[in-house]
Every structure is written in structure tokens, then in C-alpha cells.
Amino acid sequence: MSSTPANHPRVVIIGAGIVGCSLADELTARGWTDVTVLEQGPLPAPGGSTSHAPGLVFQTSPSKTLTAFARYTVEKFNSLQVEGVSCFNPVGGLELATTPERLADLHRKAGYAASWGVRGEIVSAARCKELWPLIDQSAVLGGFHTPDDGLARAVLASRAQREHATERGARFLDRHTVTGIEKEDGKVTAVVTERGTFPADHVVSAAGFWGPVIGRMAGVDVPLQPLAHQYAKTKQLPELAEATPKATSEATAETTAETTAHTLTDASKPILRFQDRDLYFREHHDRIGIGSYAHKPLPIDPFGILPYDEARANDMEMPSSYPFTEEDWAPSWDDCRRLMPALRETEIEEGFNGVFSFTPDGMPVLGESRELRGFWLAEAVWVTHSAGVAKAVAEWMVDGRASIDLHECDLARFEDAQRSPSYVRERGSQQFVEVYDVLHPLQPMEHPRPLRVSPFYARQQELGAYFLEGGGWERPHWYEANAPLVDGRPERDAWSARYWSPIAAAEAKATREKVALYDMTPLRRLEVTGPGALGFLQRMTTNNLRKKPGAVTYTLLLDETGGVRSDLTVARLAPDRFQVGANSPTDLDWLVRHAPDDVRIRDITSGTCCIGVWGPLARELVQPLTRDDFSHEGFGYFRAKEACLGHVPVTAMRLSYVGELGWELYTSADLGLRLWDTLWEAGQEHGVIAAGRSAFNSLRLEKGYRAWGVDMTDEHNPFEAGVGFAVRMDKDGFVGQEALQGLATEEPARRLTPLLLDDPVAVVLGKEPVYVDGAPSGYVTSASYGYTLGRCVAYAWLPTLPTGTGVHIEYFGEKVPATVAEEPLFDPRMNRIRR
């Protein structure tokens, strides 16, 4: 099949809901005008989630990326009109607190808003009553008011963007059910429908809860779980009918039935969230619409959802609208009436269970499949984020990258263990349950656990490990066996004390003074081999890897714009064999996409394990176990060698992410338990302990070691992120090199900045806004108490500031003073590591 010129690619978008229409608009605006949008249902309301969505847009999220999506959605929909009716009603948003815990959480949410640039403020109960007169003020402690939030008119916004895209050359075809995806040589070539075949260079699945169905046709896994969600409308309320301005309750003669419906269902009060009871509210002229997450999860099989006509034939309004379940609604209706006494005089007039999409981590699934080139996903996207997602995906397709960081949404982010249907169903259902819960940033999912464990798991349990979960791995954060080492109890507020123990301080102290074992098994390991391995890694990374076998190098993966995609440690174990310490499955995806035929890349994480042995007594522990020379002269810093410790062959790398002497020791998974026992027995005379990630995070921040995905992403270049030392600009041709020209000698406008909190007791946790001269000027990335320093360490993205500058970090509404510090904060001469 012949292809079209690269600047005029043929694009087929599957799904004409809000995402598909937004994407067609964004693509055609960028010059990709050969766009066909296929929809199985009738336009303008084809029966997916868009057709029934209540349209609430709350911009503020713990995720900076989701907030950016929502901000752009508000901005764009505010600019769209259909027949004089705006596609967005900026009534604002109001979240209520009826418990002290929720009020504290709203202060935290106000911090997110300040960090991400969203207008918002904490308001009194009296102000909540002014904004929503129907609520019982005595039940409310306060609220969070966001004046720029509001109601998206999703069907109208779809139409407006559809019309824009059509004017530029796009076509929208309804009543076209996709039956297959054609491919050749690993690349998509066409989309097949019952009414014809459509050749394509790019296919985008924006099919919503039908995403897994389309994905199966393409041979691409789509980790998405549809769930039903209750939505009801009350009968007419006189209080609303009297308060609604006449102008919003009358449609002009010029409007169509579609725009008339939107005018008649207008609202003047903020969208309201009563999260303590998993409820939200919006006006529909003289009625109230109510959504509930309080009921049990109602997962829906995406392969069993009926097509539009079959759904109608089965007395369903649309495929995404399931019958209302009265028994699930009753408790929520009681909660509604307690909050709004006026509802005691009315009843529910209509209701339905609307289907929409959840993923195991609650984030969208975006990007191009590596297995089928040219096949893209724009799935699990709510109306709130629709235009922002469409813009990002369009940028990604046209320019090769989005203008904002998308690592949280990348379809490659999931581990294989997180892709099973049962895992997706269970975690997706839990995401539904937790939509409105007060969630701690360290709070893990509870099921299914344990899923992935290191070979040391049994020993860790014996030592009383407290496990949190990440990437499916059980990760010890501290060990109860170390409780006798605790010297006093550091003060903590209730929030920061969750998922924390003073034992972490003892473990950090033991690492600084003696020696500790850290389970580093969950860190990703890739093996890169082949005749072209060196040349490939040289081209893909920033540092010089052309060193003799035995060398270990810290280096970066950049994109073409110089943004930091990841940071790596690369050990050259043989002329054509490298072990790469990476961060996430997206690193593997990126490298495999670019690898030539003479390079093989293999993820060896699950078949291997790693113990970090760190502390001033690390050499005393390790050296007697081997005939190899582990002295500083015989085994220098950032070197690797194959050795045997007792009966266990290991790959030893002299690295330290805690700022102390030591090694990372790798072996095969079957020998892992023997390695642990060998080190543990030999370490008893040196006071060895097992230490967890809580201490690890404290120690690495004292040294200023960055965590990719938290401290830096592809939104940042290496020099402003403080990792410019890993860039060799004189190296021949690496990805992103051209974009970095001149940056090394320029003063960056912003920097990843170390802060020390002034109060020795105060702590922050991350994502809090930082104020300079009274104005929000940046946000915290990583933070942890530095037990060696006796101060909380916080790294933050800020304008370049002199050392010693005073700033304030907002923590639950309080301004906590902090000072810009010089890094590294601990052992600046590296004497403790290099000895």
C-alpha cells in the first residue's frame, strides 16, 4: 500500500466523542488535514461517555499534568461558541468540608492550585452558603472556591470543534462501526468498517470505554476498565426556579434544538462537591443533578457493551446509559437531603448509571504503540481533560513530543504484571472507590498484594518490614526490628506521620555510622548487547560511554528538544555488553524504538536482584567474603567487576545513592536469598541492619541526588535540573545535543533549588507552592527530613535565587520559612564515598 508524503499523513480517528473531535481540531490546526473520524453511533450525540457527561471541570489535581490538561480545556472551551451559546459556563467550583480532615485536605488542595497556577481560595462556611444558598451552613466547616472552574457543554464543544476541523478538510462519518485494523510489517495501514476500508498512516483510538475492543483488533493492550456511575436529577425546585435569571431559561428563536437544550439546562451556581459523602451537584435550570461515587463499583465488560442501535432496541437511551439502581442510590439520597434541606420536599425525577473509563492508576492512556507503529491511544480521558489531552497528543504526533510532561500518561508506563485483565479490573474499580477519598501521597493500593516480591521478602518479613507498593513491587520503608535503635521520637504532624516511622531516623543514622543493606531489586535493569551496542548508547545518551570494560557512567536520556527523558547508570561489563540502570518501562520503550538491528535490549529486572551495601563499614563487611580486591585502589568509585561473595557470583558496582561508601551487588534471582544471608551473617560483627526506602530518600536528598519523574522530567533541560555534569557537549552526535547548544554557559531562568526549612521540627512532603517575596513562584518536588542535617530538605523549581535567600513553603495553609541552600548539603568533597 502506498503512503502519502510525510507532511500530509492520512489520519483515522476512531471515536467522535469529545476526545476525537478535539483531536481532529488540534491536528488540522497544525496542518494535518487529511483526517477521517469514524463513529459507530449517530452524530452529534453518538452514545459514548461524552453524550451523558455532566460536564464538571475542576482543574486542580495532585497531578501537574492533569491540571495542565484541565486548564487548557477551560481556556479552549471558553473560546468556543455554537449559535451564540458558549461551550463553557464558568460558574466556578466549590468543594465543601464537613470534617476537620476534609478541611485540612482542602488546604492541601489549595496548595496544589497555587503550585500549578490555578486561582482558588479557602472560604468560610458563611461564604459557602452565599455561593450555594440551599446548603445547611451548620453542616459545613469551610470550602475551597475555584472561580475559573465550571461546566463544559461537551456535546456543543464537540460540535464546535467538529465544524472547525471540517472547515480545514477533516471529515466525520457516523454509523461506521470499526471491524478491524489492517497492518503490514509492524505498521498500521488501514481501518476496516462494515461500510468500507479507510487507508491510514496513523490511527488513533479515541473510543472511550470501547478502547479495549479497538485495541484487541490492533493487537495492542489497552489497560482500561469501564465502570458505571450513578447520576440523577431532582424534580423542579421552586428555590431554583425563582433564582434562575430569565435570560438563561429562554431560548432565542434562532437556536437549534441542540443549543436550546443547553440553554435550558444552564446554571449560575458553582459546581459543588460534597466529597465527604462521595457526591457532586450541578444545576439544571430549576433542578439539581447529583452524581454519586458512594455506591459499590459496577464494572462493565467493554466487550459486552451494546452498539447504539442494539442499546436503543433494548430500551437503553444510549450504550453508555445503564438502568438506575435504586438500592445503590438510597444512602446517597439521605446524605443529599441532610446537606440541602430543600431536597426533603422533592424526589428524584430521573436517573441512570453512566459508563466511563478508569485505569489502574487513574491516569489517561496516551501514546503510540511500539508493537504497531502508527497506532495511537487517547483513552481513559474525561471531559475535564479532553482538549488538553488532544493538544498534547496532536503535538506528539506532529512534532514528535508534547509541550508538557506526559510520563504519567504514557501507555508504556505499566509493568507486565499490571496489565492482566484481573489486575486492571481490580485496580480500576478501586480507583472509582477512591475518587473523592483523602489520599496520602504515599498511600498504596491494598489489593492485589503482594504481587511482586524480591528474593529477600521472607527475611524482610522476619525483620518486621513495613511495606509500601510501587510498580507492583513490595518495598520495605522501614523495619520494626530496628525499633530499639530509635533515640527519641522526632516530632511530626499527623499528616506527615502517616506511612512514616521514627525508625527511619535510626536507619539513616546507622547507615551513616555503620553499614546497612538496602533492597534495590525494584530498580529497572536492562541488558544492552551486540556489535552496535556502544555506538547506539553513545548516540542515545549524553555522557561519554567509550570507556574500558569495568567503567560505570551516570548519563541522561534526552529528547530532541533537550528535555530530560530519564537518567541512567550504564556499566560496561564487556566490549559489547552493557547493564543499564533505568527508571521505568518507558525507558525500555524509548530505547527499543531507536535500537538498530545489531543491538539487543533485554529487561533483566525480574530475573535478577540487587542489594545496596552502604555505610562506612561496608568494606569491612564485603572484603572478607571475596578474593577480589575491594580496596579503594583496587575497586574505584563508579567501577564494576564480576566477583564472588561466598558462594554467590555477583556483579558489583561501586555506586552510592546515600552518600556513603558501598556497592550495589547484583545476582540472579535464584541466588538472591543466599546473597542476603551471606551478607547478613558476615555483617553481624559490624552492626549491620536492613534499612528501608524512607531512610534512603532522606539520605539521597541530603546528597542532592535527583529522582527522575519527580525532580526532573522532559520539561527540564540538564543544566537547570543540576545534572549538566552528565552532558559532554564535545561528544559526537547525541539525541538532544543541538538543542543544548549555548545552555551550559547561560544563567538559567529557573533552577531545581535546594531548600532547608528554618524550623528544625517542620516538614513538607512535596508539591507544595513556594513563595518568593509573597508571591507563588514555584513548587516543591521532593522533600524529606534530613536526619544527618537536622532539617527538612526540600527541592523546588524556582527562579534562580542566590544562596541564603529566604522563601516560604505553604503547608496546609501555613507559610513555613525556608532558605535557599548550597548543594550538596552533605559531604560536598565526597570524602565519605571515595575512600
Side-chain angles (χ1 to χ4, degrees):
M1 183 175 295
S2 63
S3 62
T4 54
N7 59 336
H8 294 289
R10 298 164 300 183
V11 180
V12 174
I13 299 172
I14 301 171
I18 190 65
V19 179
C21 292
S22 297
L23 181 57
D25 186 29
E26 295 287 340
L27 283 172
T28 56
R30 288 166 173 78
W32 282 23
T33 55
D34 190 352
V35 175
T36 301
V37 184
L38 303 175
E39 174 53 59
Q40 59 90 30
L43 293 173
S49 300
T50 300
S51 303
H52 72 246
L56 282 69
V57 178
F58 280 91
Q59 298 173 84
T60 306
S61 165
S63 166
K64 181 173 178 284
T65 299
L66 288 186
T67 301
F69 288 158
R71 288 182 63 189
Y72 182 76
T73 301
V74 168
E75 175 187 331
K76 185 174 187 181
F77 288 5
N78 256 322
S79 71
L80 299 176
Q81 289 190 347
V82 175
E83 300 179 20
V85 176
S86 173
C87 293
F88 189 78
N89 184 357
V91 293
L94 179 63
E95 300 183 44
L96 301 177
T98 59
T99 65
E101 294 77 15
R102 181 67 63 177
L103 185 59
D105 189 59
L106 294 187
H107 279 284
R108 184 169 63 115
K109 189 165 290 185
Y112 293 147
S115 290
W116 316 143
V118 176
R119 287 202 304 156
E121 64 173 339
I122 300 297
V123 296
S124 66
R127 177 58 176 153
C128 293
K129 177 73 171 178
E130 290 176 12
L131 292 166
W132 254 91
L134 270 62
I135 67 171
D136 178 2
Q137 181 179 332
S138 67
V140 177
L141 300 180
F144 176 47
H145 182 221
T146 45
D148 299 322
D149 290 342
L151 293 165
R153 298 181 174 112
V155 175
L156 281 191
S158 296
R159 174 180 162 184
Q161 294 176 102
R162 195 164 61 242
E163 291 174 353
H164 289 171
T166 301
E167 290 170 0
R168 303 186 193 106
R171 57 177 176 165
F172 290 77
L173 304 176
D174 62 0
R175 300 292 190 172
H176 280 65
T177 300
V178 174
T179 58
I181 306 293
E182 293 187 349
K183 44 199 164 181
E184 185 176 329
D185 296 328
K187 190 177 189 312
V188 71
T189 58
V191 177
V192 182
T193 75
E194 88 288 11
R195 298 175 65 177
T197 297
F198 298 85
D201 302 295
H202 297 273
V203 173
V204 185
S205 177
F209 49 70
W210 279 292
V213 179
I214 302 300
R216 179 175 291 182
M217 295 179 192
V220 174
D221 181 49
V222 181
L224 177 160
Q225 176 61 54
L227 286 111
H229 161 59
Q230 288 197 317
Y231 192 78
K233 292 181 184 178
T234 68
K235 291 181 178 179
Q236 184 184 60
L237 289 170
E239 297 88 343
L240 291 183
E242 295 167 3
T244 304
K246 186 176 182 182
T248 65
S249 62
E250 294 181 355
T252 64
E254 291 78 18
T255 59
T256 64
E258 183 184 353
T259 55
T260 297
H262 282 284
T263 307
L264 287 171
T265 58
D266 214 345
S268 59
K269 297 176 183 60
I271 48 178
L272 184 69
R273 291 205 282 190
F274 180 24
Q275 294 172 300
D276 287 322
R277 289 295 182 269
D278 297 307
L279 294 165
Y280 64 82
F281 305 82
R282 59 152 294 179
E283 290 176 281
H284 290 280
H285 177 47
D286 54 3
R287 291 163 172 77
I288 294 180
I290 308 167
S292 171
Y293 292 99
H295 57 84
K296 66 179 181 295
L298 302 170
I300 305 293
D301 180 4
F303 295 90
I305 297 176
L306 298 176
Y308 187 90
D309 290 328
E310 288 186 38
R312 298 284 287 179
N314 282 272
D315 296 324
M316 295 171 64
E317 183 179 348
M318 61 185 80
S320 60
S321 178
Y322 279 61
F324 194 62
T325 47
E326 293 280 357
E327 66 278 10
D328 293 319
W329 177 254
S332 291
W333 186 230
D334 290 340
D335 291 330
C336 294
R337 288 173 156 181
R338 278 192 287 270
L339 179 68
M340 297 186 189
L343 297 182
R344 297 168 189 168
E345 306 303 321
T346 189
E347 299 294 337
I348 293 300
E349 185 172 64
E350 58 180 304
F352 67 98
N353 286 0
V355 181
F356 62 143
S357 304
F358 286 81
T359 59
D361 60 4
M363 299 294 288
V365 181
L366 312 177
E368 183 186 22
S369 166
R370 187 176 76 243
E371 294 79 12
L372 182 59
R373 298 188 310 278
F375 184 81
W376 295 76
L377 297 181
E379 296 290 7
V381 181
W382 295 5
V383 171
T384 302
H385 310 115
S386 55
V389 164
K391 175 177 182 255
V393 173
E395 291 172 337
W396 201 346
M397 295 176 71
V398 175
D399 303 326
R401 75 180 297 274
S403 56
I404 65 172
D405 167 48
L406 297 181
H407 82 275
E408 292 178 309
C409 309
D410 194 314
L411 68 91
R413 71 188 183 271
F414 293 109
E415 305 279 354
D416 290 343
Q418 297 173 305
R419 290 180 172 274
S420 70
S422 58
Y423 185 95
V424 172
R425 179 186 176 97
E426 190 166 352
R427 287 289 174 101
S429 296
Q430 188 62 24
Q431 289 292 337
F432 177 92
V433 170
E434 294 181 351
V435 163
Y436 282 169
D437 285 0
V438 176
L439 298 176
H440 192 277
L442 292 176
Q443 184 170 334
M445 286 282 189
E446 294 300 326
H447 305 283
R449 290 180 64 191
L451 184 62
R452 306 175 78 188
V453 298
S454 78
F456 328 126
Y457 184 64
R459 297 294 183 264
Q460 292 165 343
Q461 288 180 303
E462 292 168 3
L463 293 170
Y466 185 90
F467 293 98
L468 297 179
E469 183 260 359
W473 288 100
E474 295 297 320
R475 304 182 183 209
H477 274 241
W478 65 84
Y479 294 83
E480 290 296 331
N482 296 325
L485 302 178
V486 174
D487 182 14
R489 182 178 179 88
E491 295 182 31
R492 284 266 182 152
D493 64 275
W495 183 252
S496 67
R498 293 184 65 184
Y499 306 104
W500 172 85
S501 168
I503 294 172
E507 292 177 357
K509 184 172 186 288
T511 306
R512 291 276 187 244
E513 295 180 353
K514 293 184 179 180
V515 62
L517 306 184
Y518 287 82
D519 181 1
M520 307 302 289
T521 300
L523 298 185
R524 183 163 304 278
R525 293 172 290 286
L526 309 177
E527 182 183 71
V528 181
T529 57
L534 175 60
F536 168 65
L537 290 172
Q538 280 283 82
R539 185 174 72 256
M540 295 303 296
T541 70
T542 60
N543 214 333
N544 181 27
L545 305 180
R546 200 175 294 280
K547 302 172 183 177
K548 293 179 180 180
V552 183
T553 306
Y554 176 80
T555 187
L556 308 173
L557 288 179
L558 305 183
D559 62 24
E560 294 289 352
T561 69
V564 181
R565 280 193 58 93
S566 189
D567 62 341
L568 312 174
T569 53
V570 180
R572 191 175 190 184
L573 302 180
D576 294 340
R577 181 166 67 93
F578 297 81
Q579 181 170 309
V580 177
N583 285 297
S584 79
T586 59
D587 294 340
L588 174 64
D589 183 74
W590 177 257
L591 291 171
V592 169
R593 285 177 187 272
H594 291 83
D597 293 339
D598 61 350
V599 172
R600 184 186 181 205
I601 303 173
R602 190 165 64 98
D603 189 331
I604 61 172
T605 309
S606 60
T608 57
C609 60
C610 178
I611 299 175
V613 183
W614 291 311
L617 302 183
R619 185 173 286 116
E620 280 87 339
L621 191 162
V622 174
Q623 184 62 82
L625 298 173
T626 180
R627 295 180 179 179
D628 288 276
D629 185 0
F630 272 59
S631 69
H632 182 63
E633 295 74 22
F635 197 158
Y637 190 51
F638 266 82
R639 298 292 298 173
K641 67 168 61 176
E642 309 285 349
C644 285
L645 298 183
H647 297 94
V648 182
V650 300
T651 299
M653 298 186 195
R654 190 167 167 200
L655 307 175
S656 175
Y657 288 96
V658 299
E660 295 293 335
L661 170 69
W663 291 266
E664 292 179 357
L665 303 174
Y666 298 89
T667 193
S668 56
D670 60 321
L671 291 169
L673 188 59
R674 185 60 178 265
L675 176 62
W676 178 281
D677 288 345
T678 298
L679 293 168
W680 186 257
E681 181 179 348
Q684 292 308 301
E685 63 179 289
H686 304 295
V688 71
I689 67 162
R693 292 188 67 85
S694 185
F696 175 89
N697 198 46
S698 170
L699 297 169
R700 71 101 182 165
L701 279 172
E702 290 184 330
K703 283 297 294 180
Y705 294 143
R706 276 61 168 151
W708 183 84
V710 179
D711 297 317
M712 57 187 181
T713 69
D714 62 8
E715 291 184 358
H716 312 110
N717 72 57
F719 304 107
E720 60 190 5
V723 289
F725 63 87
V727 178
R728 295 292 178 265
M729 291 300 293
D730 56 352
K731 191 173 80 166
D732 290 339
F734 61 83
V735 174
Q737 184 177 30
E738 185 176 343
L740 298 184
Q741 295 295 336
L743 293 181
T745 57
E746 295 178 2
E747 179 74 13
R750 61 176 180 175
R751 286 184 184 274
L752 185 60
T753 305
L755 304 174
L756 283 176
L757 273 61
D758 295 351
D759 184 343
V761 175
V763 294
V764 297
L765 299 181
K767 300 187 178 181
E768 297 90 355
V770 182
Y771 289 75
V772 180
D773 295 329
S777 302
Y779 58 92
V780 174
T781 58
S782 295
S784 179
Y785 197 86
Y787 301 109
T788 316
L789 302 174
R791 291 285 191 281
C792 182
V793 180
Y795 272 78
W797 279 103
L798 290 170
T800 298
L801 299 170
T803 299
T805 301
V807 300
H808 287 85
I809 303 172
E810 184 178 320
Y811 183 71
F812 287 94
E814 295 186 8
K815 300 294 195 302
V816 180
T819 303
V820 174
E822 188 77 29
E823 64 174 341
L825 304 172
F826 176 79
D827 188 26
R829 297 182 180 275
M830 304 286 282
N831 293 328
R832 299 177 70 89
I833 294 177
R834 293 175 169 156
R835 60 180 176 180

